[in-house]
Amino acid sequence: MASPSAPRRLPAPLLAFPAWAWLLFFFVAPVGMVLWFSFGYKPGIFGTHANDVLSFDRYIEALSPTFFATFVNTLWVGLAGTALCLVIGAPVAYWMAVKAPMNRRGLLLALVMVPFWTNFLVRTIGWQVILAPEGWLSTLLQAVGLQEGPLELLYTRTAVLIGVVYNYLPLMILPLFVAFDRVGGPLREASKDLGANRIRTFTQITVPLAQPGIVAGVLLVFIPLMGDYITATVLGGAKGNMIGQLVASQFQTAQNWALGSAMAVLLILVIALSVAAGAVLLWLITWPFRSRRRLVLGEAS
């Protein structure tokens, strides 16, 4: 009796076609068009772009002192905002994953996520109301004697930093919570049973095992933060300019798509180089710990 034939399997490239199609149409094609426009120029007052003559002139223009200062300011806000999110989010995530009662962790996660579900622009405008010179925070600080005059914080780089930390903090807390939760109590208990104190258990057990979550949180915050222009527009003004604002203004107001595309390409390069530099720095920092954990079999005791 003949055995039933095995089900025919589709080739692996065909199974992966949806993923390749998604990547091609929603990432490669748009980025390729932006890269192509960046070598063009603005043909007159009413034109947006032309590519009959290709050059690097738009990149030279994008790196002029005025725009370069905005790149530096964007990188500063991105690094500082990511670092603050990590410093604030790590203790919160650790407490939620380790110290908080198990039956309340769902409620705590909901409290973290509910503000994140509110519209991004509405949340940012809320901070504009809070930080305004005539807002309730300024009135309260003056009433308790901590501020002599109206609060002059709105439309500064500090206001932008406050806004981005508030807007992107949930993206840092969630992966950190998952990472700390997966470390598990038995490993920490075993470390304590072997004589390690709390600090040594945290630095040599919890943090190394939670490293993938830390890296994921940093990437989830840093990459979108660098391209954010809503927070800078609402809270920053002229002092809090970020490169996302300039890219948007070149496409929407100046109608200079070539220059806006060159700025966008440079922004992508800055993000890629920053991530690569961070990866190298992380590898160098954790190298002594990894070499210390290395187990050599057959070594004479």
Side-chain angles (χ1 to χ4, degrees):
M1 180 178 179
S3 61
S5 59
R8 297 180 60 184
R9 295 182 178 179
L10 296 175
L14 188 59
L15 292 174
F17 175 76
W20 285 108
W22 177 274
L23 189 66
L24 179 65
F25 287 106
F26 295 103
F27 178 73
V28 176
V31 173
M33 291 181 64
V34 169
L35 183 63
W36 171 249
F37 288 166
S38 67
F39 295 110
Y41 63 95
K42 178 177 172 58
I45 300 177
F46 300 104
T48 57
H49 71 281
N51 283 82
D52 54 324
V53 178
L54 303 181
S55 69
F56 288 94
D57 291 346
R58 303 292 78 75
Y59 287 95
I60 298 175
E61 189 176 353
L63 291 174
S64 63
T66 302
F67 296 142
F68 184 76
T70 306
F71 271 105
V72 174
N73 183 63
T74 303
L75 185 60
W76 186 91
V77 172
L79 294 176
T82 305
L84 285 174
C85 286
L86 181 61
V87 170
I88 298 172
V92 175
Y94 182 81
W95 179 78
M96 291 170 57
V98 179
K99 301 295 183 182
M102 182 68 73
N103 58 352
R104 294 185 180 178
R105 291 179 185 175
L107 175 62
L108 295 173
L109 285 175
L111 292 177
V112 172
M113 289 303 300
V114 166
F116 192 70
W117 292 337
T118 309
N119 183 273
F120 193 93
L121 180 60
V122 172
R123 281 183 287 147
T124 309
I125 290 177
W127 274 104
Q128 188 181 42
V129 175
I130 295 173
L131 299 178
E134 65 278 5
W136 65 265
L137 181 60
S138 177
T139 304
L140 177 64
L141 292 177
Q142 293 178 68
V144 299
L146 296 178
Q147 183 77 21
E148 294 183 356
L151 189 63
E152 298 179 354
L153 194 57
L154 190 61
Y155 303 129
T156 64
R157 192 165 62 175
T158 304
V160 176
L161 196 57
I162 293 173
V164 296
V165 169
Y166 171 74
N167 284 328
Y168 293 96
L169 188 58
L171 295 179
M172 179 67 76
I173 292 178
L174 291 180
L176 288 177
F177 170 80
V178 174
F180 287 138
D181 185 58
R182 287 184 176 179
V183 172
L187 286 177
R188 289 189 292 270
E189 292 297 330
S191 176
K192 294 176 183 178
D193 292 341
L194 293 174
N197 55 26
R198 291 183 178 181
I199 297 177
R200 193 171 182 181
T201 299
F202 181 77
T203 57
Q204 296 190 5
I205 301 296
T206 304
V207 172
L209 292 177
Q211 184 176 325
I214 298 173
V215 174
V218 169
L219 293 178
L220 284 175
V221 171
F222 178 74
I223 293 176
L225 194 159
M226 288 288 289
D228 180 15
Y229 70 95
I230 293 178
T231 308
T233 302
V234 175
L235 301 178
K239 295 181 181 178
N241 270 340
M242 294 179 67
I243 197 63
Q245 284 177 285
L246 296 183
V247 173
S249 66
Q250 293 300 326
F251 275 92
Q252 297 172 358
T253 305
Q255 294 292 305
N256 191 345
W257 290 13
L259 181 56
S261 298
M263 291 178 177
V265 172
L266 290 176
L267 177 61
I268 294 173
L269 292 177
V270 169
I271 293 174
L273 292 176
S274 301
V275 172
V280 173
L281 182 63
L282 179 64
W283 186 86
L284 292 175
I285 292 176
T286 57
W287 180 78
F289 299 100
R290 286 184 282 108
S291 61
R292 185 179 300 177
R293 294 202 310 268
R294 188 175 300 162
L295 178 63
V296 180
L297 299 178
E299 184 178 10
S301 58

